[in-house]
Amino acid sequence: MARSFDTGIAMDMYDTLDEVRTDIAARLSAAANDRRSAMHSPVVATADADARVMVLRAFDADSWLLRFHTDVRSPKVAVIEADPRIGVLAYDRQAKIQLRLRGTGRIERTGLVADAAWSQSNNFARRCYLGEGPGVAADHPTSGLPERFEGVEPTDDEVQVARENFAVLLVQVDQADWFSLAHTGHRRAVLTAGDGQWISP
Ligand SMILES: Cc1cc2nc3c(=O)[nH]c(=O)nc-3n(C[C@H](O)[C@H](O)[C@H](O)COP(=O)(O)O)c2cc1C
């Protein structure tokens, strides 16, 4: 059986909706756990018709919950808090599989999930939250970081103030639109937590 070089996921014919459900879970789990995975950085779309690349940090296969990290000052946070509809788009070019997920987002600044995500980060990752918030205008090209942290890992003490700028975006996926591109005939299915339907590609 052929396997994707990228994820190790079997690239087989998909004959049942259960196989599709398993494939979706395997791809999203690989995406969250392997930064070389094709779906590691999906496009996350918000209700204001904007979209951006974000790193998928976690996926729970039982609840279909996705976790992303973000800066609370980034414009998407206010957009999601006003209208939580989220789309997530990922494509595995080698496996020729597209996932279009629809769901509901929530921003958590505090609490167990946000605290655990922060404590699992290293100080280089935490440094991103030390500077200006995303979208602040500048009169020169800038990383937004204070100069002393350019290319330098902050200490635990120095990075502590960045915690208040950090939040998790949790996306509860309600629907997954799975598309497999194939010479022999494309396949497409739409799945929800308890249901699934083949559809014409
Ligand atoms: C490869 C890549 C990964 C990124 N990962 C994240 C991320 O995990 N979280 C995030 O908030 N922004 C991430 N960004 C930046 C976003 O794409 C975006 O520019 C930023 O969050 C501001 O978005 P907004 O203006 O829609 O709020 C990433 C960008 C790239 C190119």
Side-chain angles (χ1 to χ4, degrees), residues 78-155:
V79 172
I80 294 164
E81 290 185 327
D83 184 337
R85 288 174 298 160
I86 297 280
V88 178
L89 173 67
Y91 181 56
D92 183 329
R93 192 166 177 271
Q94 199 193 3
K96 300 195 177 80
I97 290 193
Q98 170 183 259
L99 288 186
R100 291 161 75 187
L101 312 175
R102 277 172 190 266
T104 307
R106 68 174 190 273
I107 301 288
E108 291 190 0
R109 295 167 169 77
T110 56
L112 285 179
V113 178
D115 286 345
W118 180 257
S119 67
Q120 284 157 17
S121 301
N122 61 37
N123 284 349
F124 259 123
R126 293 173 180 151
R127 188 182 61 144
C128 301
Y129 302 90
L130 261 181
E132 293 281 11
V136 173
D139 55 13
H140 56 280
T142 178
S143 68
L145 288 172
E147 217 176 293
R148 68 184 191 284
F149 295 128
E150 293 285 355
V152 175
E153 184 173 17
T155 64

Side-chain angles (χ1 to χ4, degrees), residues 25-103:
R27 283 183 196 290
L28 292 174
S29 299
N33 292 312
D34 180 358
R35 60 192 188 81
R36 291 164 307 159
S37 162
M39 295 188 171
H40 185 57
S41 334
V43 173
V44 177
T46 34
D48 58 343
D50 208 348
R52 76 286 293 152
V53 169
M54 293 179 78
V55 172
L56 179 62
R57 313 285 173 162
F59 167 68
D60 185 85
D62 293 329
S63 59
W64 275 17
L65 190 71
L66 307 173
R67 172 162 57 84
F68 300 91
H69 295 174
T70 197
D71 191 308
V72 293
R73 300 165 298 174
S74 67
K76 65 177 136 347
V77 167
V79 172
I80 294 164
E81 290 185 327
D83 184 337
R85 288 174 298 160
I86 297 280
V88 178
L89 173 67
Y91 181 56
D92 183 329
R93 192 166 177 271
Q94 199 193 3
K96 300 195 177 80
I97 290 193
Q98 170 183 259
L99 288 186
R100 291 161 75 187
L101 312 175
R102 277 172 190 266

